[in-house]
Amino acid sequence: MMEKKAILVFLVLTLSLINGQEPEKIDTQKAPWRIHTLFSVECQNYFDWQTVGLMHSYRKAQQPGPITRLLSCTEDERKGYRGMELAPTFEVPSMSRHPKTSDWYPAINKPAGVVHWLKYSKEAENVDWVVILDADMIIRGPIVPWEIGAEKGRPVSAYYGYLIGCDNILAKLHTKHPELCDKVGGLLAMHIDDLRALAPLWLSKTEEVREDRAHWPTNYTGDIYGTGWISEMYGYSFGAAEVGLRYKINDNLMIYPGYTPREGVEPILMHYGLPFNVGNWSFSKLDHHEDDIVYDCSRLFPEPPYPREITQMESDHHKRRALFLNIECINTMNEGLLLQHAAFKCPKPKWSKYLSFLKSKTFAELSRPKRLTAQSRQMMEVEIHKEVDNEPEKPHPKVEVKIHKEVDNEPEKPHPKIHTIFSTECSSYFDWQTVGLVHSFYKSGQPGNITRLLSCTDEDLKQYKGHDLAPTHYVPSMSRHPLTGDWYPAINKPAAVLHWMNHVKTDAEYIVILDADMIMRGPITPWEFNAGRSRPASTPYDYLIGCDNILAKLHTRHPEACDKVGGVIIMHVDDLRKFALQWLHKTMEVRLDRSHWSKNITGDIYESGWISEMYGYSFGAAELNLRHVISDEILIYPGYVPKPGVNYRVFHYGLEYSVGNWSFDKANWRHADVVNKCWAKFPDPPDPSSLDQTDNNSLQRDLLSIECATTLNEALRLHHERRKCPDPNTISTPKRERVNQDRVDETRTNAETRTRAETRTDAETRTSAETRTDAETRTNAETRTNAEARMAVETTTSTKFGNVDDIQALRHDEMPKNSSQESSQVETSNGTFTSMRFWIMVLWAVSIFGFLGVMSVMLRGRKGLKKRVKGYKSKRRTTYSGFWDTNGQDRHLRNAETA
């Protein structure tokens, strides 16, 4: 036994030295107080792989103290459950189906499990501090309550800004002390005495909020689905307020993969509750809801890019940090799965580059336990302001939350920070718009960063290819309303803005909101267009006549404050925090008010309620009495005559526009995938030199229209270059290009009258020589490498995109489905000595003549041999007659050919 221990110690020391780590324990292991970590799960595969990831990170991060999994199972689930050995476990009764109300709400198992553990577990009697986590987390470094600032009566937690119910009637209904409600969750670190006081109220308040269906809507809870799913989170906040616990709120300790940590901050906890990606690779926990990956030997989650690839992919230091966190999260889970499979005595997995990386010194160094930095410990400051009046002092003061800002020695910047956002969906239609807008953003010199708010269903996200088109924040899709079933994709814009505001902590002071179908021409800044607090700036939308009639009176208390604006919005971040929910709420109101969709009330010529989101914006702003600075010098529609001397900052190509016989309408390109097809682009507009110079208004209008279309095509060209599409000029020789062009012209001339069947019939009537040539060409095509085949396809495709008629074919999804076959047909028309067919024929002929020559030499040698063995000729003929007969026939044939 002693020998085994000595060997184990030796191996640990050796591995530590190999990984470049000193074999020493963290000081927090010798804690002055006892720490216990808890997390709650159910008997499902979904929670089992999360448990494996969390448990592995718990050990890897050297979290002090024991850890316990609170396992909630029904009797039927428990009978077939396989994962009892995955973690130290305390079984608790399942409350997924409430025993009294029969409400199905599995999230209630978290507070119910904690209550049961406190009451029945002996471990709970020997604890000073408790750390409560969610299963979908990865620990990166020790979470020690007193080191992160927790005190008795002052727990530490992460900031959950979307819990807006703390600020409205929801808190007033469910706690006697709404002013003490803190928007917290995720990471919870508190003294055991505080937990004992809180836990029963956490459970009862969860039940209360869950039963209060009248206040589930988004405008009360901030839950964009309005289904009461976050009742447990409110139960926690309301229960803490009821007990009088005031939180130290830290927004630096925990991070969602996909987000960028602040400068100097080292998060010690990752919460992968949202989808995240690195380039074309992505991960969403919801994709693995029924995944039994824990019990499927040697199967891991899809491997992410390697660190070296990320270094090449992203030059910005801050963004690169975020990408490294993303791969660290999934790599840690995969490392845990490997060890768990080994514990299950699975067969040793086959060697791969990825497995080698997970066992490498590089990964060990990247994932070693993290230490808290000074910035990581920085709290959100809670300032208490007492009201001063002639009344007796009120028992509970007002509370204001502020965020500490880092102090440095840099000179004060002349202008506030700006962040630009725009909303899209998972479709090729929005992808090419995204490419155009993002390209123009960087070209325009717009200050700050840009973020795409991408609204997708889970199914759409699985198939989506455009993750790397822009810096992206993923939001749940509300195209199909979760409550009403109404199909209205435009609602994703306010829903996405609200989600972004609640989940992202930005340091920008002003937010610029654009539409995807825009092209920037210059910077859009609050100081230039006079935006300020309570004074957003925007562009005129005069057709919103509902601001002047009964529609405004029905949907806002301040119809006189309704501004007819939209398109480009410049708003202070504090105003947007208050306004975003109103925007969404008013959009839903107008959308439901079908009796007032008519044109004479809304100005919508289709009377379909499609502009409900625009009215939602105007009515929401009126509710908060936000009065806009309206400028008609920010935005112009291509096709409109510009005002002389105005430098418009944005093109909004929402309407069809034309220059002479050329025209562009975005609606015609709804299903065209010009982003993923190499060298695809829109029809080129006319050359500016060809425009009529006599009418200056028309000239300026057409020049702007051409500029918009040219910028879109320029963006696509650069996008294809970044994708490393093969250069069409290097794929074929000049003569082949000339032949290809002739064939394209011929195809274009006869396309409407010639069908594929006629082509096949024509092929059958060729001469035998042509048929042999075609067969040889097909053989040659089949032996090409994959890379050559792809180049042939893209050559044909790029040729088609160069022609307006073929662009129209693409637009209506009429592109030929066998581009490689068409490319081969083009090549067969080339009969010169430079064609591949000719050289194959030459090689074939040389091989035949060479074979005949060798056989002739062998036959001559056999004549001499025959004379030497003449005495045995009869015997040989009897024994090997079959061979000699055949050989004799072959000899006579060859002699005949020689003659």
Side-chain angles (χ1 to χ4, degrees), residues 167-223:
D167 301 327
N168 60 36
I169 192 174
L170 196 65
K172 295 176 183 178
L173 288 171
H174 294 289
T175 174
K176 293 177 289 185
H177 309 301
E179 71 283 354
L180 300 182
C181 183
D182 288 320
K183 303 173 184 176
V184 294
L187 163 64
L188 309 172
M190 65 174 62
H191 195 274
I192 186 67
D193 294 342
D194 294 333
L195 184 60
R196 291 187 186 278
L198 166 65
L201 285 167
W202 183 3
L203 177 58
S204 64
K205 292 298 177 182
T206 298
E207 292 172 313
E208 274 188 28
V209 178
R210 184 66 186 170
E211 292 174 9
D212 186 10
R213 292 176 177 268
H215 294 93
W216 280 7
T218 308
N219 58 310
Y220 295 116
T221 63
D223 178 4

Side-chain angles (χ1 to χ4, degrees), residues 626-877:
L626 296 176
R627 301 312 304 265
H628 290 77
V629 177
I630 304 175
S631 173
D632 61 357
E633 298 186 356
I634 302 176
L635 176 148
I636 189 172
Y637 286 86
Y640 281 33
V641 176
K643 290 170 59 176
V646 174
N647 180 24
Y648 295 99
R649 306 305 170 86
V650 173
F651 287 128
H652 189 186
Y653 53 91
L655 304 174
E656 182 178 14
Y657 61 99
S658 61
V659 179
N661 294 327
W662 175 92
S663 66
F664 182 84
D665 185 352
K666 70 171 188 176
N668 292 335
W669 298 86
R670 184 171 292 276
H671 303 294
D673 191 3
V674 295
V675 170
N676 293 312
K677 292 184 182 295
C678 275
W679 307 118
K681 65 174 184 176
F682 301 111
D684 288 321
D687 190 283
S689 61
S690 66
L691 299 178
D692 183 9
Q693 309 286 325
T694 56
D695 184 349
N696 187 60
N697 286 340
S698 299
L699 176 63
Q700 296 304 318
R701 176 199 65 199
D702 291 346
L703 286 174
L704 289 178
S705 298
I706 291 172
E707 179 187 338
C708 180
T710 302
T711 304
L712 274 173
N713 276 341
E714 179 186 28
L716 287 170
R717 178 182 60 79
L718 294 174
H719 167 75
H720 295 316
E721 288 179 0
R722 286 192 298 271
R723 288 283 178 92
K724 297 182 179 179
C725 287
D727 186 351
N729 296 324
T730 62
I731 296 175
S732 55
T733 62
K735 187 162 187 177
R736 183 178 298 176
E737 289 175 356
R738 186 163 60 251
V739 173
N740 285 350
Q741 185 59 46
D742 294 339
R743 181 59 180 261
V744 169
D745 292 340
E746 179 185 353
T747 303
R748 194 160 54 238
T749 304
N750 300 324
E752 296 178 357
T753 59
R754 186 176 61 201
T755 64
R756 292 180 182 268
E758 290 169 342
T759 303
R760 287 195 298 271
T761 303
D762 179 63
E764 292 170 358
T765 59
R766 291 175 182 172
T767 64
S768 59
E770 291 172 333
T771 304
R772 280 197 307 273
T773 302
D774 286 342
E776 293 157 7
T777 304
R778 284 194 298 273
T779 302
N780 173 39
E782 290 170 358
T783 59
R784 291 176 179 170
T785 64
N786 291 336
E788 291 171 336
R790 285 196 298 272
M791 291 170 65
V793 173
E794 290 166 0
T795 304
T796 306
T797 305
S798 62
T799 305
K800 286 184 175 294
F801 280 125
N803 179 270
V804 173
D805 295 334
D806 292 323
I807 283 287
Q808 299 295 336
L810 170 67
R811 181 185 304 173
H812 298 290
D813 295 328
E814 295 175 356
M815 285 292 291
K817 296 184 178 179
N818 192 350
S819 299
S820 60
Q821 182 181 356
E822 288 187 2
S823 180
S824 299
Q825 291 172 352
V826 171
E827 290 177 1
T828 59
S829 67
N830 189 348
T832 65
F833 280 31
T834 60
S835 69
M836 183 66 72
R837 185 185 348 163
F838 171 78
W839 293 112
I840 289 178
M841 292 174 65
V842 169
L843 181 61
W844 179 75
V846 169
S847 300
I848 290 176
F849 283 113
F851 177 74
L852 291 175
V854 171
M855 291 302 297
S856 176
V857 171
M858 291 177 64
L859 289 172
R860 288 195 185 96
R862 193 169 292 279
K863 287 180 180 180
L865 180 62
K866 250 172 64 175
K867 292 177 181 179
R868 289 193 299 270
V869 297
K870 189 173 182 181
Y872 299 94
K873 185 173 180 181
S874 299
K875 185 178 180 179
R876 286 183 177 273
R877 285 181 178 175

